[in-house]
Amino acid sequence: MKWVRAALLPLVALASAAAAETWLDQVEERLTFAAFNGHLHSRLSGEVSLEAYQFQQPAPGFLFTSGHALFNPRLALFLDGHCGENLTGFVQVRADRGFDPGNGRLRLRLDEYALRYAPWSDGRASLQIGQFATVIGNWVARHVSRDNPFVSAPLPYENMTAIYDREVPVSRQEFLAYDPTEKYEYNPIIWGPAYGTGAAVSGRFGKFDYAVEAKNTGPSARPEAWPITHTGFERPAFSARVGYRPDLRWKFGVSASDSSYLHGTTAPSLPRGTTLRDFRERLFAQDAAFAWGHLQVWAELFETWFEVPRVGTVRTIAGYIETKYKFTPQCYGALRWNRQGYSTINDGLGSRQPWRNALWRLDAASGYRFSPQIDGKLQASAQHESSHRNAFDLHYAAQLNVRF
Amino acid sequence: MNDFTVFRLLTLLLTAISVRCATIEGRVALPAALTTHVKNQRYEVVSKGGVVATNPPLAVVYLEGDFAPPSAPVTVQLAQKDLAFVQTLLPVRVGTRIEFPNLDDLYHNIFSLSRPKRFDLGRYRPEDRPIPSQVFDKTGLVTLRCEIHEHMRGLILVLNTPHFIVTDATGRFTLTGLPAGKYTLKAWVDSTTTRSQAVELSSDSNLRVDFP
């Protein structure tokens, strides 16, 4: 890990410089623009992140490498714009070693772009079109590094199930033979923030808020399927969330999604008399959040059904509860308990077994704000998978972020 | 002695006191206007405009000298309304308690990592009592931010003097009630620019000082 320390030390030194705060504020001011007599405003901002991981194989979550360590530098650029009172837009571009980091080279990627029209000033409804994060659940609204107390995502957003979207199982035995060395062939129930392309209507009425979206891909779709250039709207995916906020401290929500999850190339392999539309991912989620003073708590529970060719309907339940507490103005601690379980199916040999090993993971993290724009995080995770030869897999992650 | 007589005597006394105090007026050359802030609304369900207005550039003019400590603790308020600090620049005397009332219908989380005062108020609602507050017991510049609304900025200038004032948008100021003596008049323009000028005040002087 010498190279990780070598990479982190200069930035830690930078973080200790009192001048960094003022300098980064000045950079922010320089990156704000106005035109047409103040009618059009835009702001370019960004974040440089250095992430280092150390882990046991198989690599956890969305890490795709055969080694035991990974270094992932990332530059994220955000453009937030505003035209008049009713039209806003944003773009997010990232340069890194992949949305799901691996051994690849650095490359540039357009992750999000959207235009939002909000005709009413009371926020009762707005229409957004583009490629943007899903409306499901409560983690997406805090998935950018600034708002995420951890380095990684909660388990439901990054744990690969035994579902695969680019092939069709020929038998139940093949479906049950999960191969961890081919992890990228599989799908989670929801792939990170699920930046699919489409349109969303959202708004608020009193203590209730709502969001409905129609996109080209469902929540489990992989990143390369998100752009409109890759996946059209032949089989649109629909998702919705209704939120209730009894007071500022509490937030509750329920989400649902219905989509066709198989890739178009699998059509010739489907059982006779079926089409891609017959094989659905249906998801129902509940979320809750509490915040008061220095304490924040979030929880989500997902129940998901996949219709699998030649297997039938399989079900998985995944959830987590997460808490963050700020000990001092600069230091916080966070804990997250994650769990995912699977229904049993007939293995075709006369017995029943879960279609994937149940899993739990405990994440512990601590973060430190060197300045308002510079922070560092350390995370340790212990993961246990049923039927796994090791009692626990231990994973570590460190992240340093500089925002401007 | 009726109430009217008492009132006349008090008025005369106050007039006499005020006559014996010096006044400085003048103008501070201010830098170009600040840009407005653009709100990040990427993951907000409700959109209500995206531009947050800021005050025009302002300066703080203050008299530096050796003054007696305040006889009683001072408390002032710096509110948040419409996702902005009501005053973007607030000068206070060292030892002042500042309350941060939340006048919006959502959470704020004001914090500062500035060296003169590091604090984090956590998330608090408009109705939370007591109103979150901090005592500013070291001189210097404190930059306020909101952890939830990243565009929000506020400045508190903690001074070791009871004689200070914020200029108007054109840079004009009038500092009244000043005691006689030799002092340094300073104009804080921004975190890197403070102009100063020596002044000598007599009991009823009316001085004009411009900071170019």
Side-chain angles (χ1 to χ4, degrees):
Chain A
M1 297 292 281
K2 281 182 181 172
W3 54 274
V4 175
R5 284 197 293 270
L8 291 180
L9 275 174
L11 279 162
V12 171
L14 169 68
S16 65
E21 180 177 349
T22 307
W23 186 77
L24 288 167
D25 270 349
Q26 288 169 350
V27 170
E28 184 188 316
E29 283 185 13
R30 297 281 184 277
L31 295 176
T32 304
F33 310 96
F36 301 110
N37 203 24
H39 196 66
L40 181 68
H41 287 85
S42 65
R43 178 185 164 215
L44 184 66
S45 58
E47 185 171 68
V48 177
S49 299
L50 299 178
E51 294 171 357
Y53 301 90
Q54 189 170 41
F55 44 83
Q56 295 172 257
Q57 283 292 341
F62 283 152
L63 301 179
F64 296 96
T65 175
S66 55
H68 291 275
L70 186 70
F71 176 62
N72 181 40
R74 176 182 296 134
L75 169 67
L77 292 174
F78 302 95
L79 179 67
D80 293 284
H82 178 79
C83 182
E85 283 293 308
N86 307 112
L87 192 63
T88 58
F90 62 88
V91 176
Q92 183 190 175
V93 175
R94 285 194 228 181
D96 54 22
R97 302 177 79 179
F99 182 86
D100 309 308
N103 293 324
R105 302 172 67 177
L106 284 175
R107 53 188 183 271
L108 194 67
R109 193 180 57 254
L110 176 62
D111 271 350
E112 285 187 286
Y113 60 89
L115 273 179
R116 184 185 298 172
Y117 179 61
W120 292 282
S121 62
D122 62 2
R124 73 182 76 166
S126 66
L127 171 67
Q128 179 168 300
I129 57 170
Q131 182 178 328
F132 50 88
T134 182
V135 301
I136 297 168
N138 70 15
W139 178 74
V140 163
R142 56 188 183 90
H143 77 281
V144 293
S145 182
R146 177 182 189 268
D147 302 316
N148 183 5
F150 294 86
V151 179
S152 67
L155 190 75
Y157 292 87
E158 64 166 30
N159 184 47
M160 294 302 187
T161 67
I163 293 294
Y164 38 93
D165 60 352
R166 297 192 291 199
E167 286 182 51
V168 173
V170 296
S171 65
R172 285 169 180 262
Q173 289 85 353
E174 185 186 83
F175 177 68
L176 288 168
Y178 176 82
D179 181 1
T181 63
E182 298 289 336
K183 198 172 68 169
Y184 199 73
E185 298 306 312
Y186 297 94
N187 300 75
I189 57 173
I190 178 167
W191 200 301
Y195 296 136
T197 307
V201 174
S202 59
R204 179 179 295 164
F205 286 99
K207 293 182 176 180
F208 291 89
D209 60 70
Y210 70 91
V212 182
E213 68 182 13
K215 284 187 169 177
N216 61 340
T217 54
S220 65
R222 60 191 63 244
E224 52 266 40
W226 297 338
I228 189 67
T229 50
H230 182 281
T231 310
F233 287 96
E234 297 83 12
R235 290 174 290 129
F238 297 95
S239 304
R241 179 178 182 275
V242 176
Y244 173 60
R245 190 161 202 176
D247 70 26
L248 286 178
R249 291 173 299 183
W250 292 97
K251 279 195 239 179
F252 301 98
V254 291
S255 308
S257 177
D258 183 20
S259 60
S260 164
Y261 71 93
L262 287 173
H263 193 271
T265 55
T266 62
S269 313
L270 293 176
R272 184 174 296 179
T274 63
T275 68
L276 291 167
R277 291 176 190 276
D278 294 325
F279 300 100
R280 319 291 301 176
E281 177 191 5
R282 292 194 172 92
L283 177 150
F284 178 73
Q286 303 166 70
D287 63 78
F290 173 82
W292 191 66
H294 299 298
L295 177 69
Q296 289 174 272
V297 182
W298 302 269
E300 288 186 271
L301 185 66
F302 294 85
E303 188 168 12
T304 310
W305 297 264
F306 290 95
E307 287 160 6
V308 183
R310 301 185 182 92
V311 175
T313 301
V314 297
R315 185 174 69 109
T316 177
I317 294 180
Y320 71 92
I321 181 166
E322 175 179 328
T323 182
K324 173 188 173 186
Y325 188 81
K326 280 186 278 186
F327 300 113
T328 71
Q330 291 175 278
C331 180
Y332 71 81
L335 278 175
R336 184 168 61 202
W337 170 258
N338 311 263
R339 190 168 172 83
Q340 185 157 14
Y342 300 84
S343 63
T344 57
I345 61 170
N346 189 322
D347 63 4
L349 301 171
S351 60
R352 298 186 69 83
Q353 60 174 290
W355 56 280
R356 174 87 165 83
N357 292 332
L359 179 82
W360 62 255
R361 191 178 81 198
L362 177 66
D363 302 316
S366 184
Y368 190 83
R369 279 195 293 212
F370 298 98
S371 80
Q373 303 94 344
I374 303 173
D375 65 68
K377 302 176 197 171
L378 294 172
Q379 179 179 331
S381 300
Q383 180 170 305
H384 175 73
E385 192 170 322
S386 64
S387 305
H388 202 285
R389 64 183 186 283
N390 296 326
F392 301 103
D393 286 333
L394 296 174
H395 312 302
Y396 304 96
Q399 188 181 56
L400 187 74
N401 304 299
V402 181
R403 284 175 291 278
F404 56 89
Chain B
M1 198 160 50
N2 61 26
D3 287 351
F4 182 69
T5 309
V6 172
F7 176 75
R8 276 205 306 186
L9 284 172
L10 277 173
T11 307
L12 282 170
L13 182 62
L14 286 170
T15 306
I17 290 170
S18 65
V19 165
R20 289 172 56 187
C21 290
T23 297
I24 303 176
E25 58 183 0
R27 187 174 183 179
V28 181
L30 298 173
L34 291 170
T35 53
T36 51
H37 296 295
V38 178
K39 273 169 62 188
N40 151 19
Q41 299 183 101
R42 284 165 233 145
Y43 310 114
E44 286 181 13
V45 168
V46 179
S47 295
K48 285 185 183 176
V51 179
V52 181
T54 56
N55 276 342
L58 301 168
V60 174
V61 179
Y62 60 97
L63 196 66
E64 199 172 70
D66 191 15
F67 302 104
S71 54
V74 178
T75 299
V76 298
Q77 289 197 334
L78 179 54
Q80 305 101 61
K81 186 167 173 52
D82 299 329
L83 302 185
F85 289 99
V86 170
Q87 290 167 265
T88 52
L89 176 59
L90 177 68
V92 296
R93 189 173 189 184
V94 68
T96 300
R97 175 177 292 277
I98 301 181
E99 295 179 339
F100 296 91
N102 174 2
L103 305 183
D104 284 317
D105 59 352
L106 38 72
Y107 263 140
H108 282 299
N109 185 156
I110 305 307
F111 75 99
S112 167
L113 300 184
S114 300
R115 282 190 178 168
K117 190 68 185 179
R118 285 188 175 142
F119 68 94
D120 186 322
L121 300 178
R123 279 149 167 78
Y124 58 99
R125 301 171 294 173
E127 63 267 35
D128 282 346
R129 293 293 180 276
I131 297 170
S133 64
Q134 291 287 314
V135 175
F136 290 77
D137 47 12
K138 285 185 185 166
T139 57
L141 181 67
V142 177
T143 303
L144 304 174
R145 297 163 196 270
C146 178
E147 187 178 84
I148 304 167
H149 310 104
E150 58 181 331
H151 64 273
M152 286 177 64
R153 294 283 190 285
L155 294 173
I156 293 173
L157 188 62
V158 186
L159 301 165
N160 194 17
T161 172
H163 303 290
F164 51 78
I165 194 161
V166 180
T167 65
D168 67 15
T170 63
R172 294 184 194 283
F173 69 91
T174 303
L175 206 50
T176 58
L178 305 176
K182 288 183 178 178
Y183 303 99
T184 303
L185 185 70
K186 292 194 169 183
W188 181 94
V189 180
D190 58 39
S191 60
T192 57
T193 312
T194 301
R195 296 172 187 138
S196 62
Q197 186 170 322
V199 291
E200 184 168 357
L201 303 174
S202 56
S203 58
D204 56 354
S205 62
N206 194 344
L207 211 60
R208 178 166 183 91
V209 177
D210 289 335
F211 291 97

